[in-house]
Amino acid sequence: MENIKAFTVTEVNLYLRQLLERDLLLSHIYVKGEISNLKIHSSGHVYFSLKDRESRIKCVMFKSSFSRLKFLPEEGMQVIVRGYLSIFERDGQYQLYAEGMIAEGAGELYKAYEQLKNRLEIEGLFDKEHKKPLPLLPGKVGIVTSATGAALRDMISIGRRRNPNIDIYLYPALVQGEKASEEICEGINYFNRFNKVDVIIVGRGGGSIEELWCFNEEIIARAIYESDIPVVSAVGHETDFTIADFAADVRAATPSAAAELVFPDKQQLYSYINKLQSHIYASMLSYIRDKKILLNKLTSTSSIRYTETKILNLRQSLQNMKEGLDIAMRDLLEVHRNNLYLYNEKLNILNPASYLNRGYAYVKKEKTGELVKTIKMIHNGDALNIYLKDGYVSVTVRTICEGD
């Protein structure tokens, strides 16, 4: 026995520890399993086991690594743990020292989320140039969400409190599950098709990544992008970001925050209008006062006097021209009046009726009405009409005598 080398328990455990830590595979390993016996110590360290149907590994995650997790581990959660294997020398028990953790399934979802986000971003669906501004005072607001969710009640309550004159239209839709994304798209398209509202709120309350996943679907991103009506995304809590948030014209941290953004406060609007009215009134007074000062300065300068004198001279010249035009028009009218009198006299002289007044007459054949100019046009027995100034006489020709 004197020649036998005996090791202490500590030495054995230390040797095994060194073997484990020098192994390339075991020094950086991913292990998946179900969390059990979870204990979060007051020191900030986390102790738990990973198990599957047949085996179990004890695990520890120190405070520094636990503080970097994006989620809180829970009993029964399926996870993938990144870390290294070593031995706790005191108990002689190997365990997994966890340095990182992702929820199994959530890691795949996150990967899909990142891939879709990058692809849509390259296509330009998230570009700021495409974002539409929210209307200052919408008359009608459309909401696409669950008809029974607390998010809807919060938005209606805030909207009614801030501005009861704005109409609210609901398109009820599932907000989680397989058919949720289709129903949400139908709601967005419905409001666009009938142009019923001025702005659309799409959202729901908080939840896990699986529950919110429908808002990470490509069809919703494209429906929001193609909407002619501004869309506000209001999904989950303040820390939740979905693809719909990036595609929307405005992202609200929560449904309540969306209502605050979309519904302008009536009292604030009244106050703002009153301020604008006071500002406009003061500006107009200031403008008029400045123009009066400028006008007083201008009227006191020689250039204004020269202008006034020139205007008076032009006005006098215009008056003289008017008087001369009046005289010329009167003279022209008098000339035309005299000429008209002369033309009238000439017409009276040439008028056949004037000859009748002097005792002359003219003769027409009774049958034909032909004017008789010579005795050669008549024969004995012809009926004639002799026209005097006050009538005519019907006669029958008895004798025709030629000459004087």
Side-chain angles (χ1 to χ4, degrees):
M1 295 295 294
E2 291 179 355
N3 297 325
I4 297 175
K5 173 61 177 175
F7 296 93
T8 64
V9 174
T10 301
E11 288 174 338
V12 173
N13 287 340
L14 180 59
Y15 180 78
L16 291 175
R17 173 184 173 184
Q18 292 173 351
L19 287 178
L20 291 174
E21 292 179 352
R22 283 198 298 264
D23 188 287
L24 293 179
L25 175 62
L26 301 180
S27 63
H28 189 81
I29 191 171
Y30 288 86
V31 182
K32 65 179 180 180
E34 178 184 331
I35 294 177
S36 66
N37 299 321
L38 178 68
K39 294 180 182 179
I40 301 176
H41 199 272
S42 59
S43 64
H45 304 322
V46 180
Y47 302 93
F48 60 98
S49 295
L50 277 182
K51 68 175 183 178
D52 56 20
R53 291 184 178 181
E54 300 175 357
S55 301
R56 176 189 307 264
I57 298 176
K58 285 195 173 182
C59 307
V60 60
M61 175 177 277
F62 296 126
K63 179 180 179 181
S64 58
S65 297
F66 179 67
S67 62
R68 292 194 296 268
L69 288 183
K70 301 299 183 182
F71 65 97
L72 185 64
E74 296 178 353
E75 189 77 15
M77 180 181 289
Q78 293 288 334
V79 295
I80 298 176
V81 175
R82 174 181 56 82
Y84 61 94
L85 286 175
S86 186
I87 288 181
F88 184 40
E89 298 171 17
R90 190 195 67 183
D91 296 339
Q93 181 173 328
Y94 84 95
Q95 56 188 10
L96 177 62
Y97 289 81
E99 296 179 319
M101 181 186 300
I102 58 174
E104 186 179 7
E108 296 176 4
L109 291 177
Y110 182 75
K111 184 177 180 180
Y113 166 88
E114 285 294 325
Q115 289 176 344
L116 178 61
K117 177 175 174 291
N118 293 335
R119 179 161 59 83
L120 297 182
E121 187 172 14
I122 292 173
E123 286 188 35
L125 266 67
F126 307 153
D127 290 350
K128 292 183 179 179
E129 293 76 10
H130 185 73
K131 306 297 184 184
K132 296 176 286 295
L134 298 183
L136 176 63
L137 185 59
K140 300 175 182 178
V141 174
I143 300 177
V144 181
T145 190
S146 170
T148 59
L152 176 62
R153 294 193 297 272
D154 292 342
M155 287 187 282
I156 293 177
S157 175
I158 292 172
R160 289 285 178 257
R161 171 174 54 82
R162 289 175 65 84
N163 202 318
N165 297 327
I166 297 176
D167 296 330
I168 300 175
Y169 293 84
L170 169 67
Y171 189 96
L174 295 174
V175 290
Q176 70 181 66
E178 294 182 1
K179 296 184 178 180
S181 56
E182 294 180 4
E183 293 192 6
I184 293 170
C185 289
E186 289 172 1
I188 296 171
N189 295 332
Y190 170 82
F191 286 127
N192 276 272
R193 187 164 59 252
F194 295 101
N195 197 25
K196 294 177 65 70
V197 297
D198 303 306
V199 61
I200 302 171
I201 301 176
V202 177
R204 56 154 289 165
S208 65
I209 186 172
E210 292 84 4
E211 292 172 334
L212 302 180
W213 188 252
C214 63
F215 293 95
N216 291 319
E217 296 285 355
E218 182 174 353
I219 58 171
I220 288 186
R222 295 197 180 277
I224 293 174
Y225 178 81
E226 294 169 0
S227 173
D228 295 325
I229 302 171
V231 177
V232 177
S233 175
V235 182
H237 301 304
E238 188 171 356
T239 56
D240 295 324
F241 277 86
T242 65
I243 298 295
D245 293 328
F246 295 108
D249 297 293
V250 176
R251 185 251 176 185
T254 63
S256 297
E260 297 281 349
L261 286 172
V262 170
F263 293 88
D265 186 85
K266 191 175 182 179
Q267 298 304 320
Q268 290 180 358
L269 286 176
Y270 282 147
S271 177
Y272 180 66
I273 291 172
N274 290 334
K275 288 181 180 178
L276 284 180
Q277 186 177 10
S278 300
H279 178 71
I280 293 172
Y281 181 73
S283 298
M284 289 300 298
L285 289 180
S286 176
Y287 178 82
I288 294 172
R289 182 173 61 253
D290 293 342
K291 294 304 178 183
K292 282 184 177 180
I293 295 172
L294 179 61
L295 182 61
N296 291 333
K297 289 181 179 179
L298 291 174
T299 53
S300 63
T301 60
S302 58
S303 60
I304 288 296
R305 295 195 190 95
Y306 171 77
T307 304
E308 288 179 343
T309 303
K310 189 173 182 178
I311 291 173
L312 289 175
N313 292 337
L314 291 173
R315 185 179 288 124
Q316 185 62 45
S317 299
L318 184 63
Q319 182 64 28
N320 294 338
M321 291 173 64
K322 179 179 179 299
E323 293 175 357
L325 183 62
D326 289 341
I327 293 172
M329 288 298 296
R330 283 197 297 271
D331 293 344
L332 183 62
L333 287 173
E334 186 64 26
V335 170
H336 285 296
R337 188 180 291 110
N338 293 333
N339 290 336
L340 183 63
Y341 177 76
L342 293 174
Y343 292 146
N344 186 56
E345 289 297 317
K346 290 180 179 181
L347 286 173
N348 287 333
I349 292 172
L350 296 175
N351 188 358
S354 64
Y355 290 97
L356 297 179
N357 290 332
R358 293 201 298 270
Y360 293 98
Y362 64 91
V363 180
K364 286 185 177 183
K365 291 184 178 181
E366 187 176 52
K367 286 185 178 181
T368 63
E370 185 181 6
L371 182 65
V372 178
K373 299 179 180 179
T374 174
I375 62 173
K376 294 179 180 181
M377 297 176 62
I378 57 178
H379 303 88
N380 287 333
D382 285 349
L384 303 175
N385 290 331
I386 301 173
Y387 291 89
L388 304 171
K389 71 173 184 179
D390 54 355
Y392 71 92
V393 178
S394 294
V395 298
T396 303
V397 177
R398 294 169 53 192
T399 307
I400 301 173
C401 299
E402 294 187 14
D404 296 335

